[in-house]
Coordinates of all heavy atoms in Angstrom, one line a residue:
M1 N -65.6 54.1 -7.9 CA -66.0 52.7 -8.0 C -67.2 52.5 -8.9 O -68.2 53.2 -8.7 CB -66.2 52.1 -6.6 CG -66.5 50.6 -6.6 SD -66.7 50.0 -5.0 CE -67.2 48.3 -5.3
L2 N -67.1 51.6 -9.9 CA -68.2 51.4 -10.7 C -69.2 50.4 -10.1 O -68.7 49.3 -9.6 CB -67.7 50.8 -12.1 CG -66.9 51.8 -12.9 CD1 -66.3 51.1 -14.1 CD2 -67.8 53.0 -13.4
V3 N -70.5 50.6 -10.2 CA -71.4 49.7 -9.6 C -72.5 49.4 -10.7 O -72.9 50.3 -11.4 CB -72.1 50.3 -8.4 CG1 -73.2 49.3 -7.9 CG2 -71.1 50.5 -7.3
S4 N -72.7 48.1 -10.9 CA -73.7 47.7 -11.9 C -74.7 46.8 -11.3 O -74.4 45.8 -10.8 CB -72.9 47.0 -13.0 OG -73.8 46.3 -13.9
A5 N -76.0 47.2 -11.4 CA -77.1 46.4 -11.0 C -76.9 45.9 -9.5 O -77.3 44.8 -9.2 CB -77.3 45.2 -11.9
G6 N -76.4 46.7 -8.7 CA -76.2 46.4 -7.3 C -75.0 45.5 -7.0 O -74.8 45.2 -5.9
H7 N -74.3 45.1 -8.0 CA -73.1 44.3 -7.8 C -71.8 45.2 -8.0 O -71.8 45.9 -8.9 CB -73.1 43.1 -8.7 CG -74.2 42.2 -8.5 ND1 -74.3 41.3 -7.4 CD2 -75.3 42.0 -9.2 CE1 -75.4 40.7 -7.5 NE2 -76.1 41.0 -8.6
A8 N -70.9 45.0 -7.1 CA -69.6 45.7 -7.3 C -69.0 45.3 -8.6 O -68.9 44.1 -8.9 CB -68.7 45.5 -6.1
F9 N -68.5 46.2 -9.3 CA -67.7 45.9 -10.6 C -66.3 45.5 -10.2 O -65.6 46.3 -9.5 CB -67.7 47.1 -11.5 CG -66.9 46.8 -12.8 CD1 -67.4 46.1 -13.8 CD2 -65.6 47.3 -12.9 CE1 -66.7 45.8 -14.9 CE2 -64.9 47.1 -14.0 CZ -65.4 46.3 -15.0
V10 N -65.9 44.4 -10.6 CA -64.5 44.0 -10.3 C -63.7 44.1 -11.5 O -63.9 43.4 -12.5 CB -64.5 42.5 -9.7 CG1 -63.0 42.1 -9.4 CG2 -65.3 42.4 -8.5
A11 N -62.7 44.9 -11.5 CA -61.9 45.2 -12.7 C -61.0 43.9 -13.0 O -60.7 43.2 -12.1 CB -60.9 46.3 -12.5
P12 N -60.8 43.6 -14.3 CA -59.9 42.5 -14.6 C -58.6 42.6 -14.0 O -58.0 43.7 -13.8 CB -59.8 42.6 -16.1 CG -61.0 43.4 -16.6 CD -61.3 44.4 -15.4
Q13 N -58.0 41.5 -13.6 CA -56.7 41.5 -13.0 C -55.7 40.9 -13.9 O -56.0 40.2 -14.8 CB -56.8 40.7 -11.7 CG -57.8 41.3 -10.7 CD -57.5 40.8 -9.3 OE1 -56.4 40.5 -8.9 NE2 -58.5 40.8 -8.4
T14 N -54.4 41.1 -13.6 CA -53.3 40.5 -14.3 C -52.6 39.6 -13.4 O -52.2 40.0 -12.3 CB -52.4 41.5 -14.9 OG1 -53.1 42.3 -15.8 CG2 -51.2 40.9 -15.6
Y15 N -52.4 38.3 -13.8 CA -51.6 37.4 -13.0 C -50.3 37.0 -13.8 O -50.3 37.0 -15.0 CB -52.4 36.1 -12.8 CG -53.7 36.3 -12.0 CD1 -54.9 36.7 -12.6 CD2 -53.6 36.0 -10.6 CE1 -56.0 36.9 -11.8 CE2 -54.8 36.2 -9.9 CZ -55.9 36.6 -10.5 OH -57.1 36.8 -9.7
V16 N -49.3 36.8 -13.0 CA -48.0 36.5 -13.7 C -47.6 35.0 -13.3 O -47.7 34.7 -12.1 CB -46.9 37.5 -13.2 CG1 -45.5 37.0 -13.7 CG2 -47.2 38.9 -13.7
V17 N -47.2 34.3 -14.3 CA -46.7 32.9 -14.0 C -45.2 32.9 -14.5 O -45.0 33.2 -15.7 CB -47.5 31.8 -14.8 CG1 -46.9 30.5 -14.6 CG2 -49.0 31.8 -14.3
A18 N -44.3 32.6 -13.6 CA -42.9 32.5 -14.0 C -42.7 31.2 -14.6 O -43.2 30.2 -14.1 CB -42.0 32.7 -12.8
V19 N -41.9 31.1 -15.7 CA -41.5 29.9 -16.3 C -40.0 29.8 -16.1 O -39.2 30.6 -16.7 CB -41.8 29.8 -17.8 CG1 -41.5 28.4 -18.4 CG2 -43.2 30.2 -18.1
E20 N -39.6 29.0 -15.1 CA -38.3 29.1 -14.6 C -37.9 27.7 -14.1 O -38.7 27.0 -13.4 CB -38.2 30.1 -13.4 CG -36.8 30.4 -13.0 CD -36.8 31.6 -12.0 OE1 -37.9 31.9 -11.4 OE2 -35.8 32.3 -11.9
D21 N -36.6 27.3 -14.3 CA -36.1 26.0 -13.9 C -37.0 24.9 -14.3 O -37.3 23.9 -13.5 CB -36.0 26.0 -12.4 CG -34.9 27.0 -11.9 OD1 -34.0 27.3 -12.7 OD2 -35.1 27.5 -10.8
M22 N -37.6 25.0 -15.6 CA -38.4 23.9 -16.1 C -39.7 23.7 -15.4 O -40.3 22.6 -15.3 CB -37.6 22.6 -16.1 CG -36.4 22.6 -17.0 SD -36.7 22.5 -18.7 CE -37.2 20.8 -18.8
R23 N -40.2 24.8 -14.8 CA -41.5 24.7 -14.1 C -42.3 26.0 -14.3 O -41.8 27.0 -14.6 CB -41.3 24.7 -12.5 CG -40.6 23.4 -12.0 CD -40.2 23.6 -10.6 NE -39.6 22.4 -10.0 CZ -40.2 21.4 -9.5 NH1 -41.5 21.4 -9.4 NH2 -39.5 20.3 -9.1
F24 N -43.6 25.8 -14.2 CA -44.5 26.9 -14.2 C -44.8 27.3 -12.7 O -45.1 26.4 -11.9 CB -45.9 26.6 -14.9 CG -45.7 26.2 -16.3 CD1 -45.9 24.9 -16.8 CD2 -45.4 27.2 -17.3 CE1 -45.7 24.6 -18.1 CE2 -45.3 26.9 -18.6 CZ -45.5 25.5 -19.0
S25 N -44.6 28.5 -12.4 CA -44.8 28.9 -11.0 C -45.6 30.2 -10.9 O -45.2 31.2 -11.3 CB -43.4 29.1 -10.4 OG -43.6 29.5 -9.0
P26 N -46.8 30.1 -10.3 CA -47.5 28.9 -9.7 C -48.0 28.0 -10.8 O -48.3 28.4 -11.9 CB -48.7 29.5 -8.9 CG -49.0 30.8 -9.7 CD -47.7 31.3 -10.2
A27 N -48.0 26.7 -10.5 CA -48.4 25.7 -11.5 C -49.9 25.7 -11.7 O -50.4 25.4 -12.7 CB -47.9 24.3 -11.1
T28 N -50.6 26.0 -10.6 CA -52.1 26.1 -10.7 C -52.5 27.5 -10.4 O -52.0 28.2 -9.5 CB -52.8 25.1 -9.8 OG1 -52.5 25.5 -8.5 CG2 -52.4 23.7 -10.1
L29 N -53.5 28.0 -11.2 CA -53.9 29.4 -11.1 C -55.4 29.4 -11.3 O -56.0 28.7 -12.1 CB -53.2 30.2 -12.2 CG -53.3 31.7 -12.2 CD1 -52.6 32.2 -10.9 CD2 -52.6 32.3 -13.4
K30 N -56.1 30.2 -10.5 CA -57.5 30.4 -10.6 C -57.8 31.9 -10.9 O -57.3 32.8 -10.2 CB -58.3 30.0 -9.3 CG -58.3 28.6 -9.1 CD -59.1 28.2 -7.8 CE -59.1 26.7 -7.7 NZ -59.7 26.3 -6.4
V31 N -58.5 32.1 -12.0 CA -58.8 33.5 -12.5 C -60.2 33.6 -12.8 O -61.0 32.6 -12.8 CB -57.9 33.8 -13.7 CG1 -56.4 33.6 -13.4 CG2 -58.3 33.0 -14.9
K32 N -60.6 34.8 -13.1 CA -62.0 35.1 -13.6 C -61.9 35.4 -15.1 O -60.9 35.8 -15.6 CB -62.6 36.3 -12.9 CG -62.8 36.1 -11.4 CD -63.5 37.2 -10.8 CE -62.9 38.6 -11.1 NZ -61.5 38.7 -10.5
R33 N -63.0 35.2 -15.8 CA -63.1 35.5 -17.2 C -62.7 37.0 -17.3 O -63.1 37.8 -16.6 CB -64.5 35.3 -17.7 CG -64.8 33.9 -18.0 CD -66.3 33.6 -18.1 NE -66.9 34.4 -19.2 CZ -68.2 34.2 -19.6 NH1 -68.9 33.3 -19.0 NH2 -68.7 35.0 -20.5
G34 N -61.9 37.3 -18.3 CA -61.5 38.6 -18.6 C -60.1 39.0 -17.9 O -59.5 40.0 -18.3
D35 N -59.7 38.1 -17.0 CA -58.4 38.4 -16.4 C -57.3 38.0 -17.4 O -57.5 37.2 -18.2 CB -58.2 37.5 -15.1 CG -59.0 38.0 -13.9 OD1 -59.5 39.1 -14.0 OD2 -59.2 37.2 -13.0
R36 N -56.2 38.7 -17.2 CA -55.0 38.4 -18.1 C -54.0 37.6 -17.4 O -53.7 37.9 -16.2 CB -54.4 39.8 -18.6 CG -53.2 39.6 -19.5 CD -52.7 40.9 -20.0 NE -53.7 41.5 -20.9 CZ -53.7 41.3 -22.2 NH1 -52.9 40.4 -22.8 NH2 -54.7 41.9 -23.0
I37 N -53.4 36.7 -18.0 CA -52.3 35.9 -17.5 C -51.1 36.1 -18.3 O -51.1 36.0 -19.5 CB -52.7 34.4 -17.5 CG1 -54.0 34.1 -16.8 CG2 -51.6 33.6 -16.7 CD1 -54.6 32.8 -17.2
V38 N -50.0 36.4 -17.7 CA -48.7 36.7 -18.4 C -47.7 35.6 -17.9 O -47.4 35.5 -16.7 CB -48.1 38.1 -18.0 CG1 -46.9 38.3 -18.8 CG2 -49.2 39.2 -18.3
W39 N -47.2 34.8 -18.9 CA -46.2 33.9 -18.6 C -44.8 34.5 -19.0 O -44.7 35.0 -20.1 CB -46.3 32.6 -19.4 CG -47.4 31.7 -18.9 CD1 -47.3 30.6 -18.0 CD2 -48.8 31.7 -19.2 NE1 -48.5 30.0 -17.8 CE2 -49.4 30.6 -18.5 CE3 -49.6 32.5 -20.0 CZ2 -50.8 30.4 -18.6 CZ3 -51.0 32.3 -20.1 CH2 -51.6 31.2 -19.4
I40 N -43.9 34.5 -18.1 CA -42.6 35.1 -18.3 C -41.5 34.0 -18.3 O -41.4 33.3 -17.3 CB -42.2 36.2 -17.3 CG1 -43.3 37.3 -17.3 CG2 -40.8 36.8 -17.6 CD1 -43.1 38.4 -16.2
N41 N -40.8 33.9 -19.4 CA -39.8 32.8 -19.5 C -38.5 33.3 -18.9 O -37.8 34.1 -19.6 CB -39.6 32.4 -21.0 CG -38.6 31.3 -21.1 OD1 -38.1 30.7 -20.1 ND2 -38.3 30.9 -22.3
K42 N -38.1 32.8 -17.8 CA -36.9 33.3 -17.1 C -35.8 32.3 -17.3 O -34.7 32.4 -16.8 CB -37.2 33.4 -15.6 CG -38.2 34.5 -15.3 CD -38.4 34.8 -13.9 CE -39.4 35.9 -13.7 NZ -39.5 36.3 -12.2
D43 N -36.1 31.2 -18.1 CA -35.0 30.3 -18.4 C -34.2 30.8 -19.6 O -34.5 31.8 -20.2 CB -35.6 28.9 -18.8 CG -35.8 28.0 -17.5 OD1 -35.1 28.3 -16.5 OD2 -36.7 27.1 -17.5
L44 N -33.1 30.1 -19.9 CA -32.2 30.5 -21.0 C -32.6 29.8 -22.3 O -31.8 29.9 -23.3 CB -30.8 30.2 -20.6 CG -30.3 30.8 -19.3 CD1 -28.9 30.3 -18.9 CD2 -30.3 32.4 -19.5
F45 N -33.7 29.1 -22.4 CA -34.1 28.4 -23.6 C -35.6 28.6 -23.7 O -36.3 28.9 -22.8 CB -33.7 27.0 -23.5 CG -33.8 26.4 -22.2 CD1 -35.0 25.8 -21.8 CD2 -32.8 26.4 -21.3 CE1 -35.2 25.3 -20.5 CE2 -32.9 25.8 -20.0 CZ -34.1 25.3 -19.6
P46 N -36.2 28.3 -24.9 CA -37.6 28.5 -25.1 C -38.5 27.5 -24.5 O -38.1 26.4 -24.2 CB -37.7 28.5 -26.7 CG -36.4 28.0 -27.2 CD -35.4 27.9 -26.1
H47 N -39.7 28.0 -24.2 CA -40.8 27.1 -23.7 C -42.0 27.5 -24.5 O -42.1 28.5 -25.1 CB -41.0 27.3 -22.2 CG -39.9 26.9 -21.3 ND1 -39.6 25.6 -21.1 CD2 -39.1 27.6 -20.5 CE1 -38.6 25.5 -20.3 NE2 -38.2 26.7 -19.9
T48 N -43.1 26.6 -24.3 CA -44.4 27.0 -24.8 C -45.4 26.9 -23.7 O -45.2 26.2 -22.7 CB -44.9 26.1 -26.0 OG1 -45.3 24.8 -25.5 CG2 -43.8 25.9 -27.0
V49 N -46.5 27.5 -23.8 CA -47.7 27.4 -22.9 C -48.8 26.9 -23.8 O -49.4 27.6 -24.6 CB -48.1 28.8 -22.3 CG1 -49.3 28.7 -21.5 CG2 -46.9 29.3 -21.4
S50 N -49.1 25.6 -23.7 CA -50.0 24.9 -24.7 C -51.1 24.2 -24.0 O -50.8 23.2 -23.3 CB -49.2 24.0 -25.6 OG -48.1 24.6 -26.2
A51 N -52.3 24.6 -24.1 CA -53.4 24.0 -23.5 C -53.6 22.6 -24.1 O -53.5 22.4 -25.3 CB -54.7 24.8 -23.6
D52 N -53.9 21.6 -23.2 CA -54.1 20.2 -23.7 C -55.3 20.2 -24.7 O -55.2 19.4 -25.6 CB -54.5 19.3 -22.5 CG -53.3 19.2 -21.5 OD1 -52.2 19.8 -21.8 OD2 -53.4 18.4 -20.6
N53 N -56.3 21.1 -24.5 CA -57.4 21.0 -25.4 C -57.3 22.1 -26.5 O -58.3 22.4 -27.2 CB -58.7 21.2 -24.6 CG -58.9 22.7 -24.1 OD1 -58.0 23.5 -24.2 ND2 -60.0 23.0 -23.5
H54 N -56.1 22.7 -26.7 CA -55.8 23.6 -27.7 C -56.6 25.0 -27.6 O -56.7 25.7 -28.5 CB -56.1 23.0 -29.1 CG -55.4 21.7 -29.4 ND1 -54.0 21.6 -29.5 CD2 -55.9 20.5 -29.5 CE1 -53.7 20.4 -29.6 NE2 -54.8 19.6 -29.6
A55 N -57.2 25.2 -26.4 CA -57.9 26.5 -26.2 C -56.9 27.7 -26.3 O -57.3 28.8 -26.7 CB -58.5 26.5 -24.8
F56 N -55.6 27.5 -26.0 CA -54.6 28.5 -26.2 C -53.3 27.8 -26.4 O -53.1 26.7 -26.0 CB -54.5 29.5 -25.0 CG -54.4 28.8 -23.6 CD1 -53.2 28.4 -23.2 CD2 -55.5 28.6 -22.8 CE1 -53.0 27.8 -21.9 CE2 -55.4 28.0 -21.6 CZ -54.1 27.6 -21.1
D57 N -52.4 28.5 -27.1 CA -51.1 28.0 -27.4 C -50.2 29.2 -27.7 O -50.4 30.0 -28.6 CB -51.1 27.0 -28.6 CG -49.8 26.2 -28.7 OD1 -48.7 26.8 -28.3 OD2 -49.9 25.1 -29.1
S58 N -49.1 29.3 -26.9 CA -48.3 30.5 -27.1 C -47.3 30.4 -28.3 O -46.8 31.4 -28.8 CB -47.4 30.6 -25.8 OG -46.5 29.5 -25.8
G59 N -47.1 29.2 -28.8 CA -46.0 29.0 -29.6 C -44.7 29.2 -28.8 O -44.8 29.3 -27.6
S60 N -43.6 29.2 -29.5 CA -42.3 29.3 -28.8 C -42.1 30.6 -28.1 O -42.2 31.7 -28.7 CB -41.1 29.0 -29.7 OG -39.9 29.0 -29.0
I61 N -41.9 30.6 -26.8 CA -41.6 31.8 -26.0 C -40.0 31.8 -25.8 O -39.5 31.0 -25.1 CB -42.3 31.9 -24.7 CG1 -43.8 31.7 -24.8 CG2 -42.0 33.2 -23.9 CD1 -44.5 31.5 -23.5
A62 N -39.4 32.8 -26.4 CA -37.9 32.8 -26.3 C -37.5 33.1 -24.8 O -38.3 33.6 -24.0 CB -37.4 33.9 -27.2
A63 N -36.2 32.9 -24.5 CA -35.7 33.3 -23.2 C -35.9 34.8 -23.0 O -35.8 35.6 -24.0 CB -34.2 33.0 -23.2
D64 N -36.3 35.1 -21.8 CA -36.5 36.5 -21.4 C -37.7 37.1 -22.0 O -38.0 38.3 -21.8 CB -35.3 37.4 -21.8 CG -34.4 37.6 -20.6 OD1 -34.9 37.5 -19.5 OD2 -33.2 37.8 -20.8
A65 N -38.5 36.4 -22.8 CA -39.7 36.9 -23.4 C -40.9 36.5 -22.6 O -40.8 35.7 -21.7 CB -39.8 36.4 -24.9
S66 N -42.1 37.1 -23.0 CA -43.3 36.7 -22.3 C -44.4 36.5 -23.3 O -44.3 37.0 -24.4 CB -43.6 37.8 -21.2 OG -43.9 39.0 -21.9
W67 N -45.5 36.0 -22.8 CA -46.7 35.8 -23.6 C -47.9 35.9 -22.7 O -47.9 35.5 -21.5 CB -46.7 34.4 -24.2 CG -47.9 34.1 -25.1 CD1 -48.1 34.6 -26.3 CD2 -49.0 33.3 -24.8 NE1 -49.3 34.2 -26.8 CE2 -49.9 33.3 -25.9 CE3 -49.4 32.5 -23.7 CZ2 -51.1 32.6 -25.9 CZ3 -50.6 31.8 -23.7 CH2 -51.4 31.9 -24.8
S68 N -48.9 36.6 -23.2 CA -50.1 36.8 -22.3 C -51.4 36.3 -23.0 O -51.4 36.2 -24.2 CB -50.2 38.2 -21.8 OG -50.7 39.0 -22.9
Y69 N -52.4 36.0 -22.2 CA -53.6 35.4 -22.6 C -54.7 36.0 -21.7 O -54.5 36.0 -20.5 CB -53.5 33.9 -22.5 CG -54.8 33.2 -22.8 CD1 -55.3 33.1 -24.1 CD2 -55.5 32.6 -21.8 CE1 -56.5 32.4 -24.4 CE2 -56.7 31.9 -22.0 CZ -57.2 31.8 -23.3 OH -58.4 31.1 -23.6
V70 N -55.8 36.3 -22.3 CA -57.0 36.8 -21.6 C -58.0 35.6 -21.4 O -58.4 35.0 -22.5 CB -57.7 38.0 -22.2 CG1 -58.9 38.4 -21.5 CG2 -56.7 39.2 -22.3
A71 N -58.3 35.3 -20.2 CA -59.1 34.1 -19.9 C -60.5 34.3 -20.6 O -61.1 35.3 -20.4 CB -59.2 33.9 -18.4
G72 N -60.9 33.2 -21.2 CA -62.2 33.3 -21.9 C -63.3 32.4 -21.2 O -63.6 32.7 -20.1
K73 N -63.7 31.4 -21.8 CA -64.7 30.5 -21.3 C -64.3 29.9 -20.0 O -63.2 29.5 -19.8 CB -65.0 29.3 -22.3 CG -66.2 29.5 -23.1 CD -66.4 28.4 -24.1 CE -67.0 27.1 -23.3 NZ -67.2 26.0 -24.2
A74 N -65.3 29.7 -19.1 CA -65.1 29.1 -17.8 C -64.7 27.6 -18.0 O -65.1 27.0 -18.9 CB -66.3 29.2 -16.9
G75 N -63.9 27.1 -17.1 CA -63.5 25.8 -17.2 C -62.1 25.6 -16.6 O -61.4 26.6 -16.2
T76 N -61.6 24.4 -16.6 CA -60.2 24.1 -16.1 C -59.4 23.7 -17.3 O -59.8 22.8 -18.1 CB -60.2 23.0 -15.1 OG1 -60.9 23.5 -13.9 CG2 -58.8 22.6 -14.6
Y77 N -58.3 24.3 -17.5 CA -57.4 24.1 -18.7 C -56.0 23.6 -18.3 O -55.2 24.4 -18.0 CB -57.3 25.4 -19.5 CG -58.6 25.9 -19.9 CD1 -59.4 26.8 -19.1 CD2 -59.1 25.6 -21.2 CE1 -60.6 27.3 -19.6 CE2 -60.4 26.1 -21.7 CZ -61.1 26.9 -20.8 OH -62.3 27.4 -21.3
P78 N -55.8 22.3 -18.3 CA -54.5 21.8 -18.1 C -53.6 22.2 -19.3 O -54.1 22.3 -20.4 CB -54.6 20.3 -18.0 CG -56.1 20.0 -17.9 CD -56.8 21.2 -18.5
Y79 N -52.4 22.6 -19.0 CA -51.5 22.9 -20.1 C -50.1 22.4 -19.9 O -49.8 22.0 -18.8 CB -51.5 24.5 -20.4 CG -50.9 25.3 -19.3 CD1 -49.5 25.6 -19.2 CD2 -51.7 25.8 -18.2 CE1 -48.9 26.3 -18.2 CE2 -51.1 26.6 -17.2 CZ -49.7 26.8 -17.2 OH -49.2 27.6 -16.2
G80 N -49.3 22.5 -20.9 CA -47.9 22.0 -20.7 C -47.0 22.8 -21.7 O -47.4 23.7 -22.4
C81 N -45.8 22.4 -21.7 CA -44.8 22.9 -22.6 C -44.5 21.8 -23.7 O -44.2 20.7 -23.3 CB -43.5 23.2 -21.9 SG -42.1 23.6 -23.0
R82 N -44.7 22.2 -24.9 CA -44.5 21.2 -26.0 C -43.1 20.7 -26.1 O -42.8 19.7 -26.7 CB -45.0 21.7 -27.3 CG -46.5 21.7 -27.4 CD -47.0 22.0 -28.8 NE -47.2 23.4 -29.1 CZ -46.6 24.1 -30.1 NH1 -45.8 23.5 -30.9 NH2 -46.8 25.3 -30.2
F83 N -42.1 21.5 -25.6 CA -40.7 21.1 -25.7 C -40.3 20.3 -24.6 O -39.3 19.6 -24.7 CB -39.8 22.4 -25.8 CG -40.1 23.4 -26.9 CD1 -39.9 24.7 -26.7 CD2 -40.6 22.9 -28.1 CE1 -40.2 25.6 -27.7 CE2 -40.9 23.8 -29.1 CZ -40.7 25.2 -28.9
H84 N -41.0 20.3 -23.5 CA -40.6 19.6 -22.3 C -41.8 18.9 -21.6 O -42.5 19.6 -20.9 CB -39.9 20.6 -21.3 CG -38.8 21.4 -21.9 ND1 -39.0 22.8 -22.2 CD2 -37.6 21.1 -22.2 CE1 -37.8 23.2 -22.7 NE2 -37.0 22.2 -22.8
P85 N -42.0 17.7 -22.0 CA -43.2 16.9 -21.5 C -43.3 16.8 -20.0 O -44.4 16.5 -19.5 CB -43.0 15.6 -22.1 CG -42.0 15.7 -23.2 CD -41.1 16.9 -22.8
T86 N -42.3 17.1 -19.2 CA -42.4 17.1 -17.8 C -43.1 18.3 -17.2 O -43.4 18.3 -16.0 CB -41.1 16.8 -17.1 OG1 -40.2 18.0 -17.4 CG2 -40.4 15.5 -17.6
M87 N -43.2 19.4 -18.0 CA -43.7 20.6 -17.5 C -45.2 20.7 -17.6 O -45.8 20.5 -18.7 CB -43.1 21.8 -18.3 CG -41.6 21.9 -18.1 SD -40.9 23.3 -19.1 CE -41.7 24.7 -18.4
H88 N -45.9 20.9 -16.5 CA -47.4 21.0 -16.5 C -47.9 22.1 -15.6 O -47.3 22.4 -14.6 CB -48.0 19.6 -15.9 CG -47.6 18.5 -16.8 ND1 -48.2 18.3 -18.0 CD2 -46.7 17.5 -16.6 CE1 -47.7 17.2 -18.6 NE2 -46.8 16.7 -17.7
G89 N -49.0 22.7 -16.0 CA -49.7 23.7 -15.3 C -51.2 23.6 -15.5 O -51.6 22.7 -16.3
S90 N -51.9 24.4 -14.8 CA -53.4 24.4 -15.0 C -53.9 25.8 -14.7 O -53.5 26.4 -13.7 CB -53.9 23.3 -14.1 OG -55.3 23.5 -13.9
V91 N -54.9 26.2 -15.5 CA -55.6 27.4 -15.3 C -57.1 27.1 -15.2 O -57.6 26.4 -16.0 CB -55.4 28.4 -16.5 CG1 -56.3 29.6 -16.3 CG2 -54.0 28.9 -16.6
T92 N -57.6 27.6 -14.1 CA -59.1 27.4 -13.9 C -59.7 28.8 -14.0 O -59.3 29.7 -13.4 CB -59.4 26.8 -12.5 OG1 -58.9 25.5 -12.4 CG2 -60.9 26.7 -12.3
V93 N -60.7 28.9 -14.9 CA -61.4 30.1 -15.2 C -62.8 30.0 -14.6 O -63.5 29.1 -14.9 CB -61.5 30.4 -16.7 CG1 -62.2 31.7 -17.0 CG2 -60.1 30.3 -17.4
R94 N -63.1 31.0 -13.8 CA -64.5 31.0 -13.1 C -65.4 31.9 -13.9 O -65.0 32.9 -14.4 CB -64.4 31.5 -11.7 CG -63.7 30.5 -10.8 CD -63.7 31.0 -9.3 NE -62.6 32.0 -9.1 CZ -62.7 33.1 -8.4 NH1 -63.9 33.4 -7.8 NH2 -61.7 33.9 -8.2
Ligands
CU1 CU1 -40.4 24.0 -21.8

């Protein structure tokens, strides 16, 4: 176990968000800076993962494909799918 200045070092984690049935699941996610988030498109048509403030944008994710992003600046990032305006999610970075 790595210890730095008396604080336990917490290794970056990977979180998976399924994109399925026109939904992001889980729709809300809390992560730490440096954590990786992987969106996996389980639908039969493309989706995007596009932050409202343009902090990240996957572009088109084909069926059965995935896209990942490493969380940067702290904050809350609502996002959606540019192809389907009813799809919404949110990532909070601590
Ligand atoms: Cu979509």
Side-chain angles (χ1 to χ4, degrees):
M1 181 176 177
L2 294 170
V3 175
S4 166
H7 297 285
F9 176 80
V10 181
Q13 301 201 25
T14 297
Y15 294 86
V16 173
V17 177
V19 188
E20 190 170 23
D21 296 332
M22 299 282 289
R23 291 169 183 275
F24 298 108
S25 178
T28 61
L29 193 61
K30 288 183 180 171
V31 305
K32 296 185 307 299
R33 282 163 57 173
D35 287 346
R36 179 176 293 275
I37 308 161
V38 182
W39 283 266
I40 301 175
N41 183 5
K42 299 184 175 184
D43 273 337
L44 299 174
F45 39 85
H47 292 292
T48 76
V49 174
S50 307
D52 293 2
N53 70 354
H54 306 292
F56 51 84
D57 194 328
S58 65
S60 182
I61 306 171
D64 263 334
S66 66
W67 181 74
S68 74
Y69 173 73
V70 174
K73 259 181 75 179
T76 297
Y77 299 88
Y79 67 88
C81 170
R82 282 192 272 123
F83 302 149
H84 307 106
T86 59
M87 296 176 65
H88 296 287
S90 162
V91 173
T92 297
V93 182
R94 289 183 279 141

